[in-house]
Amino acid sequence: MGLRLTGDETAVWAAAARVLDANWTGTATVPSPGLYPHQWSWDSSFVSLGLARHRPDRARIELLSVFRGQWETGLVPHIVFSSSVSRSAYFPGPEFWRSRAQPGAPRGVETSGLSQPPLQALAALRLAQGPGEHGPFLARLYPQLAAQHAYLSRERDVAGLGLVSLCHPWESGLENSPAWDRPLEAVEPLISPYARGGGVDRADADRHVSLVRSMREAGYRSEYLRDDHPFVVEDPLFNAVFLASTHALAEVASLAGADPAPHREEAQRIHEALLERLWDRETCCFRARDVRTGQLIPAATISGFAPLLDPDLPPAIVGGLAELLLSARFAGATGYPVPTCDVQSAAFDRGAYWRGPTWVNTNWLVWLGALTHRLDAVSDLLLGSTLRLVRQSGFRECFDPFDGTGRGSHDYSWSAALVLDLLASRRCT
Ligand code: GLC
């Protein structure tokens, strides 16, 4: 692998590589055996970051395969269903989403009708920066990435002020985050067989399903989202990832022989809107905004640190975020940082999925943001504590932030993949 790792890190590397090998289906990687038997969009990007360090040929296949599900609008759906898995293996499955009935959905593969944080361009660029010949891969991928980004800015900027709006908590990737509690109150639940083990409240799960039914009945049209849909929020994590990926897309455009300028201009617009719409001067953190009420949502969550991915974030804001992150509300209070919710808030729950537990993917995003701003204390802390978590508890879905106990599914692909990327980052240290 060409890296200088310690004996113990070599064992962690081998264990992570085994997880990715076992979860590989031949064309893509499932998030975990059993619980998540299809391809999820942002999981797939995280996985490709790890595969780039382990099997770059598969990393390219992984990234391209998610675009099999791309709609004519440019939407990259958050789930691409596998036809070799029983139709009832996951709820809501293809029968619920009914993508086949949508004229703009792809033929030959069934999908959901929502997005997830658009990490693909960032993942593609990091892959292209590794060894090997990437020209044909980038030439094929670039138009698909450009269409994905154009869809998000054209059809999903519901407020018309430069940020993407989420129309479902699942689009955030952090589905039971306390940030969604208030906007969900406006949604009528729909009793369904969907029940999550990880701590998603029953009534909220029914609201999640109800939102999908409303979107499906409206043909997933952006006019419906803009005018009638009850759940419309601007999220710092989604938009920070969109911004980082838009910067990456400009680089990919150059490498693919296309014009990077429109992507640079778009990045500037997102940067300005992120500060204007989601930075809360009073409390010194980024918060989600409920577009329907116009209000910032009070919850302080891990999502608020994702804007560290913005290379142009003003130094005073970077400093404020680092201080909050290291404080007794987040990393400073826990042995296994970073908890996904402010530990001092009433909504914090150490065992409930995105309401407290530590996740490898959010640690990785904050780690990358810390590297972007040379916050060495933060990036070193996150690298060390993430490795400590998987050494102690394996590649679990998430972890108790106080004692590091693993929670959720085992052999979770992005936990393994991102550990490979973290270890590889230690090259020549
Ligand atoms: C859970 C996570 C989501 C992820 C999916 C598949 O629903 O909340 O972010 O994409 O699992 O791993």
Side-chain angles (χ1 to χ4, degrees):
M1 59 187 107
L3 306 172
R4 217 182 298 152
L5 301 174
T6 65
D8 159 74
E9 285 175 353
T10 305
V12 174
W13 179 287
R18 274 198 301 277
V19 169
L20 290 188
D21 289 349
N23 291 348
W24 175 251
T25 64
T27 51
T29 305
V30 291
S32 78
L35 189 57
Y36 304 112
H38 303 285
Q39 185 181 25
W40 266 257
S41 135
W42 82 324
D43 296 62
S44 174
S45 296
F46 287 128
V47 163
S48 72
L49 288 159
L51 285 175
R53 307 299 198 161
H54 169 50
R55 296 181 184 272
D57 49 335
R58 286 191 183 172
R60 283 188 283 271
I61 299 171
E62 177 82 47
L63 265 181
L64 289 169
S65 73
V66 86
F67 286 91
R68 287 174 306 135
Q70 188 166 34
W71 291 29
E72 276 170 17
T73 52
L75 166 74
V76 174
H78 90 300
I79 307 176
V80 178
F81 291 108
S82 161
S83 56
S84 57
V85 171
S86 148
R87 297 178 75 75
S88 57
Y90 182 83
F91 184 86
E95 311 296 350
F96 198 81
W97 295 95
R98 299 187 202 155
S99 65
R100 271 194 191 139
Q102 302 304 324
R107 306 296 103 188
V109 64
E110 290 175 281
T111 76
S112 72
L114 301 175
S115 64
Q116 250 185 347
L119 274 157
Q120 285 79 8
L122 186 69
L125 181 64
R126 284 174 74 93
L127 179 57
Q129 286 165 339
E133 161 55 37
H134 303 287
F137 162 70
L138 291 180
R140 185 163 157 205
L141 193 59
Y142 171 70
Q144 298 172 315
L145 292 168
Q148 174 194 25
H149 281 237
Y151 161 78
L152 290 170
S153 358
R154 187 185 65 238
E155 298 199 23
R156 299 303 302 275
D157 178 0
V158 174
L161 294 167
L163 294 181
V164 173
S165 281
L166 308 187
C167 295
H168 198 294
W170 293 342
E171 293 202 298
S172 71
L174 279 53
E175 63 231 44
N176 72 333
S177 164
W180 316 139
D181 293 355
R182 279 209 197 166
L184 271 179
E185 283 169 13
V187 180
E188 246 344 277
L190 172 69
I191 307 302
S192 75
Y194 176 62
R196 286 221 45 107
V200 178
D201 177 82
R202 176 73 251 173
D204 283 350
D206 290 338
R207 290 188 174 97
H208 293 169
V209 175
S210 161
L211 283 169
V212 173
R213 185 182 61 174
S214 308
M215 292 176 71
R216 182 189 75 203
E217 287 178 355
Y220 301 100
R221 280 177 306 107
S222 51
E223 295 78 9
Y224 159 74
L225 299 180
R226 190 190 59 220
D227 299 335
D228 296 311
H229 193 61
F231 183 96
V232 182
V233 298
E234 293 169 345
D235 173 44
L237 187 149
F238 192 108
N239 281 287
V241 164
F242 187 41
L243 172 54
S245 264
T246 303
H247 279 297
L249 187 57
E251 301 304 312
V252 171
S254 300
L255 293 170
D259 181 7
H263 306 302
R264 299 220 166 101
E265 286 158 19
E266 179 65 15
Q268 180 61 23
R269 277 193 292 272
I270 304 168
H271 160 78
E272 285 165 13
L274 198 55
L275 288 175
E276 179 65 31
R277 304 268 301 153
L278 306 186
W279 173 247
D280 181 6
R281 269 188 205 89
E282 285 180 16
T283 56
C284 281
C285 75
F286 284 93
R287 298 179 188 278
R289 186 179 289 276
D290 184 336
V291 173
R292 291 301 179 227
T293 63
Q295 302 297 310
L296 283 175
I297 296 169
T301 71
I302 192 71
S303 182
F305 298 105
L308 286 170
L309 293 168
D310 177 356
D312 304 316
L313 206 59
I317 293 185
V318 171
L321 288 181
E323 200 177 304
L324 178 62
L325 185 79
L326 296 172
S327 78
R329 291 171 61 194
F330 284 95
T334 56
Y336 296 83
V338 181
T340 37
C341 174
D342 177 353
V343 301
Q344 294 179 12
S345 91
F348 174 80
D349 180 340
R350 67 193 283 183
Y353 222 49
W354 298 104
R355 301 177 81 86
T358 295
W359 289 68
V360 171
N361 69 327
T362 42
N363 272 8
W364 184 88
L365 288 169
V366 179
W367 168 79
L368 188 62
L371 287 184
T372 305
H373 296 284
R374 301 180 194 283
L375 297 170
D376 295 349
V378 175
S379 52
D380 289 352
L381 173 73
L382 289 179
L383 189 132
S385 67
T386 307
L387 294 180
R388 207 149 43 81
L389 273 172
V390 300
R391 278 191 195 109
Q392 178 183 314
S393 300
F395 300 99
R396 297 296 297 270
E397 192 171 357
C398 56
F399 305 85
D400 184 300
F402 296 120
D403 64 19
T405 308
R407 297 190 181 273
S409 51
H410 292 255
D411 296 335
Y412 197 56
S413 294
W414 81 38
S415 299
L418 296 174
V419 162
L420 289 183
D421 191 60
L422 290 174
L423 287 173
S425 75
R426 288 176 26 77
R427 192 186 307 250
C428 300
T429 55

